[in-house]
């Protein structure tokens, strides 16, 4: 089933100029980038995006990290894109990620793990619409 998912290349990766390298993981795995933009989140935007984690102990630190530098938000499209993207990203902790995954290759630690990806069809739709209008997605 062809579907779409949101991908974020996080501040640690953009600071190290890894956008192209990370995108090559997606493209080589058969996912298409159908929307993309580089932006700098405000604290209010980061808090709204990660509101699902508001009660978790890491919430404030996560939001501060996400506003620490530019991010690249993008929509990936392909067969089973949500699950496929999560496989390509690897485990949240780069130390536990499989060889050949983004987080193993370029992630620094649990927080600075270089990428975010939607975890369900419902969240993918919500997250994509947070950053993109339909006119910005060119599949």
């Amino acid at each position: 089933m062809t579907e779409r998912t949101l991908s974020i290349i996080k501040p640690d990766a953009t600071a190290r100029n890894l956008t192209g390298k990370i995108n090559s993981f997606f493209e080589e795995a058969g996912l298409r980038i159908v929307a993309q933009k580089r932006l700098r989140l405000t604290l209010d935007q980061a808090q709204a995006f990660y509101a699902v984690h508001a009660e978790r102990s890491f919430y404030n630190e996560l939001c501060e990290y996400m506003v620490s530098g530019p991010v690249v938000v993008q929509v990936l499209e392909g067969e089973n894109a949500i699950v496929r993207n999560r496989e390509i990203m690897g485990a949240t902790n780069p130390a536990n990620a499989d060889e050949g995954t983004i987080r193993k290759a370029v992630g620094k630690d649990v927080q600075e793990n270089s990428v975010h990806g939607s975890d369900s069809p419902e969240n993918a739709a919500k997250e994509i619409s947070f950053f993109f209008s339909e006119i910005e997605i060119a599949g």
Side-chain angles (χ1 to χ4, degrees):
M1 175 174 81
T2 299
E3 59 188 9
R4 291 178 174 164
T5 190
L6 183 83
S7 168
I8 301 176
I9 301 176
K10 295 180 178 181
D12 70 278
T14 61
R16 294 180 286 145
N17 203 29
L18 296 173
T19 301
K21 181 175 185 166
I22 289 170
N23 283 341
S24 70
F25 278 85
F26 300 132
E27 292 175 336
E28 288 170 14
L31 296 177
R32 294 181 55 225
I33 300 165
V34 295
Q36 181 183 70
K37 55 186 159 185
R38 183 181 181 98
L39 52 89
R40 187 141 190 179
L41 293 171
T42 66
L43 185 56
D44 285 344
Q45 290 168 327
Q47 289 171 334
F49 184 78
Y50 286 107
V52 67
H53 298 303
E55 302 301 318
R56 315 267 310 256
S57 62
F58 60 83
Y59 173 73
N60 288 329
E61 188 177 344
L62 172 62
C63 291
E64 289 293 332
Y65 161 64
M66 291 300 291
V67 302
S68 69
V71 297
V72 174
V73 293
Q74 50 197 14
V75 179
L76 306 177
E77 182 179 80
E79 289 295 314
N80 300 309
I82 296 164
V83 169
R84 189 74 191 110
N85 180 40
R86 295 187 70 75
E87 292 169 350
I88 296 163
M89 289 190 306
T92 302
N93 184 344
N96 300 332
D98 291 338
E99 289 296 328
T101 63
I102 294 169
R103 289 177 173 151
K104 186 64 158 189
V106 300
K108 293 170 122 183
D109 56 41
V110 172
Q111 179 168 286
E112 294 186 9
N113 60 16
S114 301
V115 286
H116 163 90
S118 304
D119 63 1
S120 68
E122 299 76 26
N123 283 338
K126 179 179 161 188
E127 291 178 351
I128 289 168
S129 68
F130 187 91
F131 290 107
F132 295 95
S133 67
E134 274 302 314
I135 198 168
E136 295 176 294
I137 302 171

